[in-house]
Amino acid sequence: MKNILITGGAGYIGSKLATKLLELNFNVTVLDILKFSSKSVSHLFFNKNFKFIKGDVRNKKLMKSLIKKNEFIIPLAALV
């Protein structure tokens, strides 16, 4: 099973993508600073293949750790 990291995954696109990837049986990690809300991913917390990390993509130590653990990285982090 592939491990996928979605940065900015609590946003609209990221939350929809995470939901679909979990339906397809991927392991999904969402990294988000939660500047706005986590409601968009709240329905995913029950899924055993879902992991949420509150953090910032500018944290180099955190990102290095996450990059090592994931085969795919989908960069959606941005303030719009």
Coordinates of all heavy atoms in Angstrom, one line a residue:
M1 N 0.8 -1.2 0.0 CA 0.0 0.0 0.0 C 0.9 1.2 0.0 O 1.8 1.3 0.8 CB -0.9 0.0 1.2 CG -2.0 1.0 1.2 SD -3.2 1.0 2.5 CE -3.4 -0.7 3.0
K2 N 0.6 2.2 -0.9 CA 1.4 3.4 -1.0 C 1.0 4.4 0.1 O -0.1 4.6 0.5 CB 1.2 4.0 -2.4 CG 1.6 3.1 -3.5 CD 3.1 3.0 -3.6 CE 3.5 2.2 -4.8 NZ 4.8 1.9 -4.9
N3 N 2.1 5.1 0.5 CA 1.9 6.2 1.5 C 2.0 7.6 0.7 O 2.9 7.8 0.0 CB 3.0 6.2 2.5 CG 3.0 4.9 3.3 OD1 1.9 4.4 3.7 ND2 4.1 4.3 3.5
I4 N 1.0 8.4 1.0 CA 0.8 9.7 0.3 C 0.7 10.8 1.3 O -0.1 10.7 2.3 CB -0.4 9.7 -0.6 CG1 -0.3 8.6 -1.7 CG2 -0.6 11.1 -1.3 CD1 -1.5 8.4 -2.5
L5 N 1.5 11.8 1.1 CA 1.5 13.0 2.0 C 0.9 14.1 1.2 O 1.2 14.4 0.1 CB 2.9 13.4 2.4 CG 3.1 14.8 3.1 CD1 2.4 14.8 4.4 CD2 4.5 15.2 3.2
I6 N -0.2 14.8 1.8 CA -0.8 15.9 1.2 C -0.5 17.1 2.1 O -1.0 17.2 3.2 CB -2.3 15.7 1.0 CG1 -2.6 14.5 0.2 CG2 -2.9 17.0 0.3 CD1 -4.1 14.2 0.1
T7 N 0.3 18.1 1.6 CA 0.5 19.3 2.4 C -0.6 20.2 2.1 O -1.1 20.3 1.0 CB 1.9 19.9 2.1 OG1 1.9 20.4 0.7 CG2 3.0 19.0 2.3
G8 N -1.1 20.9 3.1 CA -2.3 21.7 2.9 C -3.5 20.9 2.7 O -4.5 21.4 2.1
G9 N -3.6 19.7 3.2 CA -4.6 18.8 3.0 C -5.9 19.1 3.7 O -6.9 18.4 3.4
A10 N -6.0 20.1 4.5 CA -7.3 20.4 5.2 C -8.1 21.4 4.4 O -9.2 21.8 4.7 CB -7.1 20.9 6.6
G11 N -7.5 21.9 3.3 CA -8.2 22.8 2.4 C -9.2 22.0 1.6 O -9.3 20.8 1.6
Y12 N -10.0 22.7 0.7 CA -11.0 22.1 0.0 C -10.5 21.0 -1.0 O -11.0 19.9 -0.9 CB -11.8 23.1 -0.8 CG -12.9 22.5 -1.7 CD1 -14.1 22.1 -1.1 CD2 -12.7 22.3 -3.0 CE1 -15.1 21.5 -1.8 CE2 -13.7 21.7 -3.8 CZ -14.9 21.3 -3.2 OH -15.9 20.7 -3.9
I13 N -9.5 21.3 -1.8 CA -9.0 20.4 -2.8 C -8.4 19.2 -2.0 O -8.6 18.0 -2.3 CB -8.1 21.0 -3.8 CG1 -8.8 22.0 -4.6 CG2 -7.4 20.0 -4.6 CD1 -7.9 22.9 -5.5
G14 N -7.5 19.5 -1.0 CA -6.8 18.5 -0.3 C -7.7 17.5 0.4 O -7.5 16.3 0.4
S15 N -8.8 18.1 1.0 CA -9.7 17.2 1.8 C -10.5 16.3 0.8 O -10.7 15.1 1.2 CB -10.7 18.0 2.6 OG -11.5 18.8 1.8
K16 N -10.9 16.8 -0.3 CA -11.6 15.9 -1.3 C -10.6 14.9 -1.9 O -11.0 13.7 -2.0 CB -12.1 16.8 -2.5 CG -13.2 17.8 -2.1 CD -14.4 17.1 -1.6 CE -15.5 18.1 -1.3 NZ -16.7 17.5 -0.6
L17 N -9.4 15.3 -2.1 CA -8.4 14.3 -2.6 C -8.1 13.2 -1.6 O -8.0 12.0 -1.9 CB -7.1 15.1 -3.0 CG -6.0 14.2 -3.6 CD1 -6.4 13.4 -4.8 CD2 -4.8 15.1 -3.9
A18 N -7.9 13.7 -0.3 CA -7.6 12.7 0.7 C -8.8 11.7 0.9 O -8.5 10.5 1.0 CB -7.4 13.4 2.1
T19 N -10.0 12.2 0.8 CA -11.2 11.3 0.9 C -11.1 10.2 -0.2 O -11.3 9.0 0.0 CB -12.5 12.1 0.8 OG1 -12.5 13.0 1.9 CG2 -13.7 11.2 0.9
K20 N -10.9 10.7 -1.4 CA -10.8 9.7 -2.6 C -9.7 8.8 -2.5 O -9.8 7.6 -2.7 CB -10.7 10.5 -3.9 CG -10.8 9.7 -5.1 CD -12.2 9.0 -5.2 CE -12.3 8.2 -6.5 NZ -13.6 7.5 -6.5
L21 N -8.5 9.2 -2.1 CA -7.4 8.3 -1.9 C -7.6 7.3 -0.8 O -7.2 6.1 -1.0 CB -6.1 9.1 -1.6 CG -5.6 10.0 -2.8 CD1 -4.5 10.9 -2.3 CD2 -5.1 9.1 -3.9
L22 N -8.2 7.7 0.2 CA -8.6 6.7 1.3 C -9.6 5.7 0.8 O -9.5 4.5 1.1 CB -9.1 7.4 2.5 CG -8.1 8.1 3.3 CD1 -8.7 9.1 4.3 CD2 -7.1 7.2 4.0
E23 N -10.5 6.1 -0.1 CA -11.5 5.1 -0.7 C -10.7 4.1 -1.6 O -11.2 3.0 -1.7 CB -12.5 5.9 -1.5 CG -13.5 6.7 -0.7 CD -14.4 7.6 -1.6 OE1 -14.3 7.5 -2.8 OE2 -15.2 8.3 -1.0
L24 N -9.6 4.6 -2.1 CA -8.8 3.7 -3.0 C -7.8 2.9 -2.2 O -6.9 2.3 -2.8 CB -8.1 4.5 -4.1 CG -9.1 5.2 -5.1 CD1 -8.3 6.2 -6.0 CD2 -9.8 4.2 -5.9
N25 N -7.9 2.9 -0.9 CA -7.0 2.2 0.1 C -5.6 2.6 0.1 O -4.7 1.8 0.4 CB -7.1 0.7 -0.2 CG -8.5 0.2 0.1 OD1 -9.1 0.5 1.1 ND2 -9.0 -0.7 -0.8
F26 N -5.3 3.9 -0.1 CA -4.0 4.4 0.2 C -3.8 4.8 1.6 O -4.8 5.1 2.3 CB -3.7 5.7 -0.7 CG -3.5 5.3 -2.2 CD1 -4.6 5.4 -3.1 CD2 -2.3 5.0 -2.7 CE1 -4.4 5.1 -4.4 CE2 -2.1 4.7 -4.0 CZ -3.2 4.8 -4.9
N27 N -2.6 4.9 2.1 CA -2.3 5.5 3.4 C -2.1 7.0 3.2 O -1.3 7.3 2.3 CB -1.1 4.9 4.0 CG -1.3 3.5 4.5 OD1 -2.3 3.1 5.0 ND2 -0.3 2.6 4.2
V28 N -2.9 7.8 3.8 CA -2.8 9.2 3.6 C -2.5 10.0 4.8 O -3.1 9.8 5.9 CB -4.2 9.8 3.1 CG1 -4.2 11.3 2.9 CG2 -4.6 9.1 1.8
T29 N -1.5 10.8 4.7 CA -1.1 11.8 5.8 C -1.3 13.2 5.3 O -0.9 13.6 4.2 CB 0.4 11.6 6.1 OG1 0.7 10.3 6.6 CG2 0.8 12.6 7.2
V30 N -2.1 13.9 6.1 CA -2.4 15.3 5.8 C -1.6 16.2 6.8 O -1.6 16.0 8.0 CB -3.9 15.6 5.9 CG1 -4.1 17.1 6.0 CG2 -4.6 15.0 4.8
L31 N -0.8 17.1 6.2 CA -0.1 18.1 7.0 C -0.7 19.4 6.7 O -0.9 19.8 5.6 CB 1.4 18.1 6.6 CG 2.2 19.3 7.1 CD1 2.5 19.1 8.6 CD2 3.5 19.4 6.4
D32 N -1.2 20.1 7.8 CA -1.8 21.4 7.6 C -1.5 22.3 8.8 O -1.5 21.8 9.9 CB -3.3 21.3 7.4 CG -3.9 22.4 6.7 OD1 -4.0 23.5 7.3 OD2 -4.3 22.3 5.5
I33 N -1.4 23.6 8.6 CA -1.1 24.5 9.7 C -2.5 24.9 10.4 O -2.5 25.4 11.5 CB -0.4 25.8 9.2 CG1 0.2 26.5 10.3 CG2 -1.3 26.6 8.3 CD1 1.2 27.6 9.9
L34 N -3.6 24.6 9.8 CA -4.9 24.9 10.3 C -5.1 26.3 10.6 O -5.6 26.7 11.6 CB -5.2 24.0 11.5 CG -5.4 22.5 11.3 CD1 -5.7 21.8 12.6 CD2 -6.4 22.2 10.2
K35 N -4.8 27.1 9.6 CA -5.0 28.6 9.7 C -6.5 28.9 9.8 O -6.9 29.8 10.4 CB -4.3 29.3 8.5 CG -4.5 30.8 8.5 CD -3.4 31.4 9.3 CE -3.4 32.9 9.1 NZ -2.5 33.6 10.0
F36 N -7.3 28.0 9.1 CA -8.7 28.3 9.1 C -9.5 27.2 9.9 O -10.1 27.6 10.9 CB -9.2 28.3 7.6 CG -8.5 29.4 6.9 CD1 -7.5 29.0 5.9 CD2 -8.8 30.7 7.0 CE1 -6.9 30.0 5.2 CE2 -8.1 31.7 6.3 CZ -7.2 31.4 5.4
S37 N -9.6 26.0 9.5 CA -10.4 25.0 10.2 C -10.0 23.6 9.8 O -9.4 23.4 8.8 CB -11.9 25.2 9.8 OG -12.7 24.2 10.4
S38 N -10.3 22.6 10.7 CA -10.0 21.2 10.4 C -11.3 20.5 10.0 O -11.3 19.3 9.9 CB -9.3 20.5 11.5 OG -10.2 20.5 12.7
K39 N -12.4 21.2 10.0 CA -13.7 20.6 9.7 C -13.8 19.8 8.4 O -14.5 18.8 8.3 CB -14.9 21.6 9.7 CG -15.1 22.2 11.1 CD -16.3 23.2 11.0 CE -16.5 23.9 12.3 NZ -17.5 24.9 12.3
S40 N -13.0 20.2 7.4 CA -13.1 19.6 6.1 C -12.5 18.2 6.1 O -12.8 17.3 5.3 CB -12.3 20.4 5.1 OG -11.0 20.5 5.4
V41 N -11.7 17.8 7.1 CA -11.1 16.5 7.2 C -11.6 15.7 8.5 O -11.2 14.6 8.7 CB -9.5 16.5 7.2 CG1 -9.0 16.9 5.9 CG2 -9.0 17.4 8.3
S42 N -12.5 16.3 9.2 CA -13.0 15.7 10.4 C -13.6 14.3 10.2 O -13.5 13.4 11.0 CB -13.9 16.6 11.2 OG -15.1 16.9 10.4
H43 N -14.2 14.1 9.0 CA -14.8 12.8 8.7 C -13.8 11.7 8.4 O -14.2 10.6 8.4 CB -15.8 13.0 7.5 CG -15.1 13.3 6.2 ND1 -14.5 14.5 5.9 CD2 -14.8 12.5 5.1 CE1 -14.0 14.5 4.7 NE2 -14.1 13.3 4.2
L44 N -12.5 12.1 8.3 CA -11.5 11.1 7.9 C -10.8 10.5 9.2 O -10.1 9.5 9.1 CB -10.4 11.8 7.0 CG -11.0 12.3 5.7 CD1 -9.8 13.0 5.0 CD2 -11.6 11.3 4.9
F45 N -11.0 11.1 10.3 CA -10.2 10.7 11.5 C -10.5 9.3 12.0 O -9.7 8.7 12.6 CB -10.5 11.7 12.7 CG -9.6 13.0 12.5 CD1 -10.1 14.1 11.9 CD2 -8.3 13.0 13.0 CE1 -9.4 15.2 11.7 CE2 -7.5 14.2 12.9 CZ -8.1 15.3 12.2
F46 N -11.7 8.8 11.6 CA -12.0 7.4 12.0 C -11.3 6.4 11.1 O -11.2 5.2 11.5 CB -13.6 7.2 11.8 CG -14.0 7.1 10.4 CD1 -14.1 5.8 9.8 CD2 -14.4 8.2 9.7 CE1 -14.5 5.7 8.5 CE2 -14.8 8.1 8.4 CZ -14.9 6.9 7.8
N47 N -10.8 6.8 10.0 CA -10.1 5.8 9.0 C -8.7 5.5 9.5 O -7.9 6.3 9.8 CB -10.1 6.5 7.7 CG -9.7 5.5 6.6 OD1 -8.7 4.8 6.7 ND2 -10.4 5.5 5.5
K48 N -8.5 4.2 9.6 CA -7.2 3.7 10.1 C -6.0 4.0 9.2 O -4.9 4.0 9.6 CB -7.2 2.2 10.4 CG -7.4 1.3 9.2 CD -7.4 -0.1 9.5 CE -7.7 -1.0 8.4 NZ -6.8 -0.9 7.3
N49 N -6.3 4.3 8.0 CA -5.3 4.7 7.0 C -5.0 6.2 6.9 O -4.3 6.6 6.0 CB -5.6 4.1 5.6 CG -5.6 2.6 5.6 OD1 -4.9 2.0 6.4 ND2 -6.4 2.1 4.7
F50 N -5.6 7.0 7.8 CA -5.5 8.4 7.8 C -4.7 8.9 9.0 O -4.9 8.4 10.1 CB -6.9 9.1 7.8 CG -6.9 10.6 7.8 CD1 -6.5 11.3 6.7 CD2 -7.2 11.3 9.0 CE1 -6.5 12.7 6.7 CE2 -7.1 12.7 9.0 CZ -6.8 13.4 7.9
K51 N -3.8 9.8 8.7 CA -3.0 10.4 9.8 C -3.0 11.9 9.5 O -2.8 12.4 8.4 CB -1.6 9.9 9.7 CG -0.7 10.4 10.8 CD 0.7 9.8 10.8 CE 1.5 10.3 11.9 NZ 2.9 9.8 11.9
F52 N -3.2 12.7 10.6 CA -3.2 14.2 10.5 C -2.1 14.7 11.3 O -1.9 14.3 12.5 CB -4.6 14.8 11.0 CG -4.6 16.3 10.9 CD1 -4.9 16.9 9.7 CD2 -4.2 17.0 12.0 CE1 -4.8 18.2 9.6 CE2 -4.2 18.4 11.9 CZ -4.5 19.0 10.7
I53 N -1.4 15.7 10.8 CA -0.3 16.3 11.5 C -0.5 17.8 11.4 O -0.6 18.4 10.3 CB 1.1 16.0 10.9 CG1 1.3 14.5 11.0 CG2 2.2 16.8 11.6 CD1 2.6 14.0 10.3
K54 N -0.6 18.5 12.5 CA -0.7 19.9 12.5 C 0.7 20.5 12.5 O 1.5 20.3 13.4 CB -1.5 20.5 13.8 CG -1.6 22.0 13.7 CD -2.4 22.5 14.8 CE -2.5 24.0 14.7 NZ -2.9 24.7 15.8
G55 N 1.1 21.1 11.4 CA 2.4 21.6 11.2 C 2.5 22.4 10.0 O 1.6 22.6 9.2
D56 N 3.7 23.0 9.8 CA 4.0 23.9 8.7 C 5.0 23.3 7.8 O 6.0 22.8 8.2 CB 4.6 25.2 9.4 CG 4.6 26.4 8.5 OD1 4.9 26.2 7.3 OD2 4.3 27.5 9.0
V57 N 4.8 23.5 6.5 CA 5.7 23.0 5.5 C 7.1 23.7 5.5 O 8.0 23.2 5.0 CB 5.1 23.1 4.0 CG1 3.9 22.2 3.9 CG2 4.8 24.5 3.7
R58 N 7.1 24.8 6.2 CA 8.4 25.5 6.3 C 9.3 24.9 7.4 O 10.5 25.3 7.5 CB 8.2 27.0 6.6 CG 7.4 27.7 5.5 CD 7.1 29.1 5.8 NE 6.0 29.0 6.8 CZ 5.4 30.1 7.3 NH1 5.8 31.3 6.9 NH2 4.5 30.0 8.3
N59 N 8.8 23.9 8.2 CA 9.6 23.2 9.2 C 10.4 22.2 8.5 O 9.9 21.1 8.2 CB 8.6 22.6 10.2 CG 9.3 21.9 11.3 OD1 10.4 21.4 11.2 ND2 8.6 21.9 12.5
K60 N 11.7 22.5 8.3 CA 12.5 21.6 7.5 C 12.7 20.2 8.2 O 12.7 19.2 7.5 CB 13.9 22.2 7.3 CG 13.9 23.4 6.3 CD 15.3 23.9 6.1 CE 15.2 25.2 5.2 NZ 16.5 25.8 5.0
K61 N 12.8 20.2 9.5 CA 13.0 18.9 10.2 C 11.8 18.0 10.0 O 11.9 16.8 9.7 CB 13.3 19.2 11.7 CG 13.6 17.9 12.4 CD 14.0 18.3 13.9 CE 14.2 17.0 14.7 NZ 14.5 17.3 16.1
L62 N 10.6 18.6 10.2 CA 9.4 17.8 10.0 C 9.2 17.3 8.6 O 8.9 16.2 8.4 CB 8.2 18.7 10.4 CG 6.8 18.2 10.1 CD1 6.6 16.9 10.9 CD2 5.7 19.2 10.5
M63 N 9.5 18.2 7.6 CA 9.3 17.8 6.2 C 10.3 16.7 5.8 O 9.9 15.8 5.1 CB 9.5 19.0 5.3 CG 8.3 20.0 5.4 SD 6.7 19.3 5.0 CE 7.0 18.7 3.4
K64 N 11.6 16.8 6.3 CA 12.5 15.7 6.0 C 12.0 14.4 6.5 O 12.1 13.4 5.8 CB 13.9 16.0 6.6 CG 14.7 17.0 5.8 CD 16.1 17.2 6.4 CE 16.9 18.2 5.6 NZ 18.2 18.4 6.1
S65 N 11.5 14.4 7.7 CA 10.9 13.2 8.3 C 9.8 12.6 7.5 O 9.7 11.4 7.2 CB 10.5 13.5 9.7 OG 9.8 12.4 10.3
L66 N 8.9 13.5 7.1 CA 7.7 13.1 6.3 C 8.0 12.6 4.9 O 7.4 11.7 4.4 CB 6.7 14.2 6.3 CG 6.0 14.5 7.6 CD1 5.1 15.8 7.5 CD2 5.2 13.3 8.1
I67 N 9.0 13.2 4.3 CA 9.4 12.9 3.0 C 10.0 11.4 2.9 O 9.7 10.7 2.0 CB 10.4 13.9 2.4 CG1 9.7 15.2 2.1 CG2 11.1 13.3 1.2 CD1 10.6 16.3 1.8
K68 N 10.7 11.1 4.0 CA 11.3 9.7 4.1 C 10.2 8.7 4.2 O 10.4 7.5 3.8 CB 12.2 9.6 5.3 CG 13.5 10.4 5.1 CD 14.4 10.3 6.3 CE 15.6 11.1 6.2 NZ 16.4 11.1 7.4
K69 N 9.0 9.0 4.8 CA 8.0 8.0 5.0 C 6.9 7.9 3.9 O 6.1 7.1 4.0 CB 7.3 8.4 6.3 CG 8.1 8.4 7.6 CD 7.4 8.9 8.8 CE 8.3 9.1 10.0 NZ 7.6 9.7 11.1
N70 N 7.0 8.7 2.9 CA 6.0 8.8 1.9 C 6.5 8.6 0.5 O 7.5 9.2 0.2 CB 5.2 10.1 2.0 CG 4.4 10.1 3.3 OD1 3.3 9.6 3.3 ND2 4.9 10.8 4.3
E71 N 5.8 7.8 -0.3 CA 6.3 7.6 -1.7 C 5.8 8.8 -2.6 O 6.5 9.1 -3.6 CB 5.7 6.3 -2.3 CG 6.3 5.1 -1.8 CD 5.8 4.6 -0.4 OE1 4.7 5.0 0.0 OE2 6.5 3.8 0.2
F72 N 4.7 9.4 -2.3 CA 4.2 10.5 -3.1 C 3.9 11.7 -2.2 O 3.4 11.5 -1.1 CB 2.9 10.1 -3.8 CG 3.0 8.9 -4.7 CD1 2.8 7.6 -4.3 CD2 3.5 9.1 -6.0 CE1 2.9 6.6 -5.2 CE2 3.7 8.1 -6.9 CZ 3.4 6.8 -6.5
I73 N 4.2 12.9 -2.7 CA 3.9 14.1 -2.0 C 3.1 15.0 -2.9 O 3.5 15.3 -4.0 CB 5.2 14.8 -1.5 CG1 6.0 13.9 -0.6 CG2 4.9 16.1 -0.8 CD1 7.4 14.2 -0.4
I74 N 1.9 15.4 -2.4 CA 1.1 16.3 -3.2 C 1.1 17.7 -2.5 O 0.5 17.8 -1.4 CB -0.3 15.8 -3.3 CG1 -0.3 14.4 -3.9 CG2 -1.2 16.7 -4.1 CD1 -1.5 13.6 -3.9
P75 N 1.8 18.7 -3.1 CA 2.0 20.0 -2.4 C 0.8 20.9 -2.7 O 0.7 21.5 -3.8 CB 3.2 20.5 -3.0 CG 3.3 19.9 -4.4 CD 2.6 18.6 -4.3
L76 N -0.1 21.1 -1.7 CA -1.2 22.0 -1.8 C -1.2 23.1 -0.8 O -2.2 23.9 -0.7 CB -2.5 21.2 -1.7 CG -2.8 20.1 -2.8 CD1 -4.1 19.4 -2.5 CD2 -2.8 20.7 -4.2
A77 N -0.1 23.2 0.0 CA -0.1 24.2 1.0 C 0.1 25.6 0.5 O 1.1 25.8 -0.3 CB 1.1 23.8 2.0
A78 N -0.8 26.5 0.8 CA -0.7 27.9 0.4 C -1.8 28.6 1.1 O -2.9 28.1 1.3 CB -0.8 28.0 -1.1
L79 N -1.5 29.9 1.4 CA -2.6 30.7 1.9 C -3.2 31.5 0.7 O -2.4 32.1 -0.1 CB -2.0 31.7 2.9 CG -1.6 31.1 4.2 CD1 -1.0 32.2 5.1 CD2 -2.8 30.5 4.9
V80 N -4.4 31.3 0.5 CA -5.1 31.9 -0.7 C -6.0 33.0 -0.3 O -6.5 33.1 0.8 CB -5.8 30.9 -1.6 CG1 -4.8 30.0 -2.2 CG2 -6.8 30.1 -0.7

